[in-house]
Amino acid sequence: MTEQIYSLWHRMEQGWAAGDGHAFAAVFTEDVDFVTVRGEELFGRRAVALGHSKLFTGPYRDTVLTAEISLIRPLTDDVSVVHVTSSIAPAGITTHAQAVVVRRADGWEIAAFHNMIPKGQS
């Protein structure tokens, strides 16, 4: 289970590096609840893909996302809470996220994602 969950963030990093909003969003459930660092609520994988596609052609063009998982807490055999710290270079931004990941028939996906920039950082 742990390796499969880690691979979600590895795939997310790859989509970000490619500047591909759809590849980035592929790790989320079709009906994901996603809260951005600005507190905007996005509903669904399509909204996450479109939002990130705009970021990749704008302020986060040619940036790299590096994610470090600090906690995987299984709630059931099919649901876990995950805490992640990510950095965006060279923008110098650090984010913290809490995610709920779920096991589906074809593997793990992120069903809920709340992202934030810690106080005192930009």
Side-chain angles (χ1 to χ4, degrees), residues 9-48:
W9 272 268
H10 180 68
R11 289 172 40 213
M12 193 186 297
E13 290 171 336
Q14 291 176 319
W16 188 290
D20 184 335
H22 292 281
F24 174 84
V27 300
F28 297 98
T29 60
E30 197 65 41
D31 63 347
V32 65
D33 292 308
F34 188 108
V35 179
T36 72
V37 295
R38 294 174 304 280
E40 300 162 332
E41 296 179 77
L42 304 176
F43 181 74
R45 182 187 302 147
R46 183 174 185 276
V48 173

Side-chain angles (χ1 to χ4, degrees), residues 40-111:
E40 300 162 332
E41 296 179 77
L42 304 176
F43 181 74
R45 182 187 302 147
R46 183 174 185 276
V48 173
L50 292 174
H52 282 79
S53 291
K54 290 177 186 175
L55 291 174
F56 297 151
T57 60
Y60 295 128
R61 183 183 183 131
D62 298 325
T63 60
V64 175
L65 176 75
T66 304
E68 287 187 41
I69 294 175
S70 59
L71 172 76
I72 298 175
R73 181 177 173 217
L75 301 178
T76 70
D77 289 342
D78 298 322
V79 178
S80 289
V81 172
V82 180
H83 289 191
V84 181
T85 300
S86 296
S87 61
I88 302 169
I93 296 171
T94 299
T95 67
H96 293 295
Q98 180 170 322
V100 176
V101 296
V102 295
R103 186 189 335 242
R104 305 285 194 208
D106 56 348
W108 290 85
E109 293 181 312
I110 302 168

